[in-house]
């Protein structure tokens, strides 16, 4: 294998990892997709490849589609809601270098994309994130350009329907998250309610390995009741620490104990909380790292 071929693949590795992570929402599976893409690249006749980056993206997308189809079946029997795995950053912990570009993908967007079919998701990501032309998307998916335009349009509509519609500045989101956690810790029902959008939803993922709600919570009253119940059970001994997850402000406990948690919120246009992400599954919080 030539050094030139190796260097070309390595130059694209971060982009491929970001593509695979956006498709699958899990680091280990994204890494597997990139590894398989590397193996196919190593076996390919590169003299016949006119556009190496496009070839690599197409190959990674096709592999990711197959992996996602298999993953869908596993997620159907997952205990409680399935949430994408966070890319966590703290003072003492940084995401792997390979996931540097993937950090830009918000958890709320990944969650919204779970409503898409495998081909819708691939078409949407290739077009909206990687600015692929429709001819390339059509070649990747084995469809006509017209069909791919419809896929991207339909996917965009579904994402807009499910994802929070407003991206707040990081400092505003961090302040809102702090005020929400302080109100919950104080067991202040009125204060918590005032911070929530009328259409707020909260999703928690325990994966059957940690306590979490077994369905999505809807509306301020239901969300507040559960939040205050959790705060009362946790007490004041467990201290949430600031950090970042997928580029957004987060609050977390990562001590390797039963209280481990990561919380991210997404505000609405009025500065209230529209979406709450709570990760409790220890496999997704620690991802093979020492506790």
């Amino acid at each position: 294998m030539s050094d030139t071929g190796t260097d070309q693949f390595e130059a694209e590795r971060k982009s491929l990892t970001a593509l695979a992570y956006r498709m699958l929402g899990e680091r280990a599976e994204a890494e597997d997709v990139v590894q398989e893409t590397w193996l196919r690249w190593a076996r390919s006749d590169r003299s016949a490849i006119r556009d190496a980056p496009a070839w690599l993206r197409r190959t990674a997308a096709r592999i990711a589609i197959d992996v996602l189809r298999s993953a869908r079946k596993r997620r159907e029997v997952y205990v409680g809601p399935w949430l994408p795995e966070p890319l966590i950053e703290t003072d003492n912990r940084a995401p792997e270098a390979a996931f540097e570009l993937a950090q830009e993908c918000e958890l709320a967007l990944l969650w919204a994309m779970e409503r898409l079919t495998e081909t819708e998701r691939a078409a949407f990501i290739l077009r909206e994130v990687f600015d692929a032309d429709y001819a390339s998307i059509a070649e990747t998916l084995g469809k006509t350009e017209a069909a791919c335009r419809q896929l991207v349009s339909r996917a965009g509509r579904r994402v807009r329907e499910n994802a929070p519609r407003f991206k707040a500045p990081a400092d505003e989101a961090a302040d809102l998250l702090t005020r929400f956690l302080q109100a919950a810790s104080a067991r202040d029902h009125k204060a918590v309610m005032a911070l929530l959008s009328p259409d707020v939803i909260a999703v928690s993922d325990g994966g059957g390995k940690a306590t979490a709600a077994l369905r999505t919570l809807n509306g301020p009253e239901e969300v507040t009741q559960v939040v205050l119940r959790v705060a009362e059970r946790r007490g004041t001994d467990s201290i949430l620490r600031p950090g970042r997850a997928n580029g957004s402000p987060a609050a977390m406990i990562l001590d390797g104990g039963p209280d481990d948690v990561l919380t991210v919120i997404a505000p609405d246009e009025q500065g209230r909380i529209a979406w709450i992400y709570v990760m409790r599954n220890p496999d997704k919080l620690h991802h093979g790292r020492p506790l």
Side-chain angles (χ1 to χ4, degrees):
M1 183 182 303
S2 69
D3 289 340
T4 300
T6 302
D7 290 346
Q8 193 153 30
F9 182 88
E10 289 300 327
E12 291 293 323
R13 181 177 287 276
K14 288 182 181 179
S15 177
L16 296 176
T17 303
L19 169 61
Y21 174 73
R22 288 171 185 266
M23 281 288 295
L24 302 169
E26 294 186 352
R27 283 181 289 182
E29 290 186 338
E31 290 165 345
D32 288 345
V33 166
V34 175
Q35 179 64 19
E36 178 60 26
T37 304
W38 161 251
L39 293 174
R40 296 188 188 185
W41 170 255
R43 295 193 300 263
S44 68
D45 177 8
R46 287 191 286 279
S47 65
I49 299 174
R50 289 176 304 210
D51 186 340
W55 185 95
L56 290 166
R57 282 197 300 271
R58 284 197 300 272
T59 301
R62 288 168 180 164
I63 296 169
I65 287 172
D66 290 339
V67 173
L68 186 56
R69 285 174 177 154
S70 176
R72 296 281 197 204
K73 296 177 183 178
R74 297 196 304 274
R75 292 172 192 177
E76 288 175 1
V77 296
Y78 194 81
V79 179
W82 182 94
L83 284 171
E85 181 179 355
L87 300 175
I88 301 171
E89 181 180 357
T90 68
D91 290 340
N92 301 316
R93 170 177 174 172
E96 296 88 338
F99 287 88
E100 192 173 304
L101 294 178
Q103 287 176 254
E104 300 172 4
C105 188
E106 296 177 349
L107 290 163
L109 179 59
L110 279 176
W111 177 78
M113 286 196 294
E114 279 296 301
R115 277 80 185 147
L116 307 180
T117 67
E118 295 83 4
T119 52
E120 285 174 342
R121 190 160 181 163
F124 179 78
I125 292 169
L126 288 169
R127 180 63 180 171
E128 299 298 325
V129 179
F130 294 94
D131 198 28
D133 59 38
Y134 283 103
S136 177
I137 298 172
E139 184 176 357
T140 299
L141 301 180
K143 296 181 179 295
T144 65
E145 290 187 39
C148 289
R149 290 180 186 276
Q150 291 180 344
L151 281 173
V152 172
S153 176
R154 186 163 61 242
R157 187 166 57 251
R158 289 184 179 176
V159 167
R160 288 191 296 273
E161 289 171 353
N162 290 282
R165 297 178 177 84
F166 178 69
K167 181 173 174 59
D171 58 343
E172 293 183 14
D175 176 67
L176 181 59
L177 177 59
T178 297
R179 287 187 286 128
F180 171 66
L181 295 173
Q182 288 175 341
S185 180
R187 323 286 202 276
D188 190 331
H189 184 280
K190 183 177 180 180
V192 172
M193 288 279 290
L195 294 172
L196 301 178
S197 165
D199 300 319
V200 64
I201 64 172
V203 194
S204 57
D205 180 342
K209 300 184 177 183
T211 303
L214 296 178
R215 62 175 179 82
T216 298
L217 305 177
N218 296 276
E221 186 60 48
E222 184 175 51
V223 171
T224 298
Q225 287 178 2
V226 174
V227 165
L228 295 184
R229 196 156 59 237
V230 170
E232 183 176 3
R233 185 174 66 246
R234 179 173 290 146
T236 58
D237 294 334
S238 299
I239 300 175
L240 288 161
R241 301 175 182 87
R244 298 179 70 81
N246 293 55
S248 297
M252 62 195 78
I253 298 171
L254 298 176
D255 297 331
D259 288 336
D260 278 12
V261 64
L262 181 143
T263 301
V264 175
I265 55 102
D268 66 9
E269 293 89 339
Q270 285 73 44
R272 296 170 299 188
I273 297 172
W275 183 77
I276 304 173
Y277 166 107
V278 180
M279 178 55 66
R280 304 259 8 254
N281 187 336
D283 293 343
K284 295 183 181 181
L285 287 174
H286 299 287
H287 192 67
R289 292 174 177 268
L291 302 180

